[in-house]
Amino acid sequence: MAAKKVAIYIGTSGYSYRDWLGHFYPPGLAAREMLPYYAREFNFTEINSSYYNLPRPQNLEQMARRVPEGFIFAVKAYRTLTHDRGESVAGDSKQLRQALQPLLDRGRLGAVLLQFPYSFHNNQANREYLVRLRELLPDLPLVVEFRQAGWVQDAVRDFLARYELAYTCIDEPQLPGLPGRAVYCTAPLAYVRFHGRNAAKWWRHEEAYERYDYLYTAAELKEWLPGIAYLANQARQVFVAFNNHYHSQAVTNARMLKELLARRL
């Protein structure tokens, strides 16, 4: 029997960082040229700006036109869907779905990332909320990231699989209350995010970027090779995003993982 073929996409959480100039991007490169430059090397990125403002379809259309064939985007859901969770959820979900149409039409949408805060605990109300989001966005590839350890259990894995909500496997500091490095595949796509292991700055930092100021070693990345191989055996697509973005450390580690996987898989 032929080996199963699965698409593995490796990239970074966001790409438009001014502090990448002189590290990954040439000094002085214009912001509008960053995405085409990035797409020369990587086949996937997360769009983070959509968390702060609902994206406009024309902007996503322009982005899709500026990358080569086969390049895939993941779009982080607008904050009202994951953090505010108020009366605007239904309307904002509809707007988000409409905005994503250009990416869907071009086959460029890999996932919609629902990144919930640490305060989002595993309880009946929050599980029902996840079902509601699935009902509001029935045809989208939804990926759920939990920041709280209570979600890491077999019952949650089965619940997510029932609604085809992909569990986000995460690498972050091993601190009390955080989910740890569980590897679950609960949907046709699998998702992994590397946040860094900067335990000292995870809860105590003056600037947000300090939490993600971390460079993985090759040995640390090798720890994930069995898990990624498992996901590749279970899913049709595997997305791996590095969020340790300070001074383009995410780029360095994405390159390292690509090389490690090329040797292994």
Side-chain angles (χ1 to χ4, degrees):
M1 182 180 294
K4 177 185 175 183
K5 292 184 179 180
V6 62
I8 299 179
Y9 296 87
I10 298 174
T12 63
S13 301
Y15 62 87
S16 182
Y17 298 106
R18 302 305 297 175
D19 70 319
W20 286 16
L21 292 169
H23 294 275
F24 173 57
Y25 296 123
L29 186 73
R32 66 180 179 276
E33 298 301 327
M34 287 181 175
L35 180 58
Y37 187 97
Y38 173 95
R40 294 179 191 176
E41 182 170 350
F42 297 103
N43 59 2
F44 154 69
T45 193
E46 292 178 351
I47 298 174
N48 288 326
S49 59
S50 50
Y51 170 80
Y52 301 99
N53 297 285
L54 275 166
R56 301 170 63 196
Q58 53 267 44
N59 290 346
L60 295 181
E61 171 73 24
Q62 291 173 3
M63 292 176 71
R65 290 178 179 275
R66 305 186 75 205
V67 293
E69 193 68 30
F71 190 95
I72 298 293
F73 295 94
V75 178
K76 187 179 289 187
Y78 187 42
R79 59 183 174 80
T80 59
L81 275 63
T82 56
H83 287 60
D84 300 342
R85 304 191 299 278
E87 296 180 358
S88 68
V89 166
D92 290 342
S93 295
K94 184 177 180 180
Q95 279 190 258
L96 177 63
R97 174 62 183 79
Q98 292 171 341
L100 295 174
Q101 194 60 49
L103 297 184
L104 287 163
D105 290 344
R106 290 173 171 267
R108 297 300 182 89
L109 180 67
V112 175
L113 175 63
L114 299 162
Q115 180 187 298
F116 288 94
Y118 182 78
S119 59
F120 190 75
H121 289 257
N122 177 16
N123 56 45
Q124 182 67 24
N126 286 340
R127 291 191 297 272
E128 290 176 357
Y129 181 75
L130 291 173
V131 174
R132 184 186 179 205
L133 286 180
R134 168 47 80 202
E135 292 170 346
L136 288 169
L137 301 167
D139 61 336
L140 294 183
L142 300 182
V143 175
V144 182
E145 180 175 353
F146 301 115
R147 294 292 179 94
Q148 213 282 330
W151 292 97
V152 182
Q153 50 183 282
D154 290 346
V156 171
R157 178 196 61 198
D158 296 342
F159 163 77
L160 295 175
R162 190 179 317 138
Y163 294 98
E164 286 199 356
L165 297 168
Y167 177 85
T168 301
C169 310
I170 54 179
D171 188 288
E172 60 189 0
Q174 297 282 66
L175 294 172
L178 298 184
R181 298 169 193 152
V183 176
Y184 294 150
C185 185
T186 60
L189 69 94
Y191 214 91
V192 184
R193 300 187 87 210
F194 285 84
H195 295 299
R197 300 181 181 180
N198 193 342
K201 292 292 186 178
W202 191 258
W203 296 122
R204 297 184 179 183
H205 49 264
E206 295 182 6
E207 301 291 341
Y209 76 83
E210 294 179 88
R211 169 182 277 189
Y212 308 110
D213 182 6
Y214 189 84
L215 183 67
Y216 287 93
T217 66
E220 289 170 334
L221 295 180
K222 284 179 182 178
E223 295 172 8
W224 274 90
L225 295 183
I228 293 173
Y230 168 80
L231 296 173
N233 191 52
Q234 298 293 315
R236 291 197 293 265
Q237 296 173 306
V238 179
F239 295 93
V240 182
F242 283 88
N243 193 32
N244 53 329
H245 52 77
Y246 183 66
H247 281 179
S248 75
Q249 293 171 121
V251 170
T252 300
N253 284 146
R255 287 169 171 165
M256 291 169 64
L257 183 62
K258 285 171 66 175
E259 184 176 343
L260 288 170
L261 286 172
R263 298 176 190 168
R264 169 99 176 220
L265 298 179

